[in-house]
Amino acid sequence: MNYALEDQNRRMLRARDAMDRTFAEQLDIPALAGIAHVSEAHFIRTFSATFGETPHRYLQRRRVERAMFLLRNTDLSVTEICYRVGFSSLGTFSRTFTAIVGEPPSRHRGRGPIPPIPGCFVMSWTRPTRPTCQ
């Protein structure tokens, strides 16, 4: 990997990390482009090329992932969860949730709490892999 591509990937990762920290807030493309030190249009194109989805789609998926956790592990209403993860419309939240997860939020909640994950599985899942020689 050349230096320019590596530097670009680092800048995109910094912007994505910022999105992860503030996922419940409105998407601020100018601020994210500033973090990545590129123009707004270049940021959207580069983010899509780097991660395979637009910043907007990434943010929606991130919000839905958080909503999935809250639905199965809290007693908050679907409406409260909708606003807590950053959606401003219950209809948009339900439609987006169903498109990404494949079932509506209320049905997902019916699956019950997420079972605890054994520590050994978490360690093996998060352990960095050794690059293979080619």
Side-chain angles (χ1 to χ4, degrees):
M1 181 181 304
N2 67 25
Y3 177 76
L5 181 59
E6 190 174 313
D7 183 51
Q8 175 183 292
N9 288 344
R10 277 196 196 110
R11 287 185 276 132
M12 289 299 121
L13 282 170
R14 277 197 297 267
R16 192 177 73 173
D17 288 346
M19 290 173 73
D20 287 340
R21 285 190 304 272
T22 60
F23 70 89
E25 298 173 10
Q26 291 290 321
L27 183 62
D28 187 1
I29 293 293
L32 295 170
I35 290 170
H37 301 289
V38 293
S39 71
E40 296 172 29
H42 188 71
F43 171 73
I44 293 170
R45 282 193 308 272
T46 306
F47 189 95
S48 299
T50 304
F51 300 115
E53 59 189 345
T54 63
H56 177 71
R57 185 65 179 169
Y58 175 79
L59 185 61
Q60 283 186 325
R61 192 170 51 77
R62 182 74 180 88
R63 288 173 174 171
V64 166
E65 287 171 0
R66 181 65 182 155
M68 290 171 66
F69 174 81
L70 292 173
L71 283 166
R72 293 184 68 181
N73 291 295
T74 68
D75 292 331
L76 296 171
S77 71
V78 172
T79 305
E80 285 177 286
I81 291 172
C82 162
Y83 293 122
R84 189 172 282 196
V85 299
F87 284 92
S88 57
S89 159
L90 185 58
T92 302
F93 169 68
S94 294
R95 188 174 50 254
T96 304
F97 189 96
T98 302
I100 291 174
V101 177
E103 62 186 358
S106 56
R107 188 180 307 158
H108 185 74
R109 169 168 270 167
R111 293 175 177 257
I114 298 171
I117 300 171
C120 60
F121 181 78
V122 172
M123 286 177 64
S124 68
W125 183 263
T126 58
R127 183 174 296 146
T129 58
R130 183 180 230 176
T132 57
C133 297
Q134 296 183 13

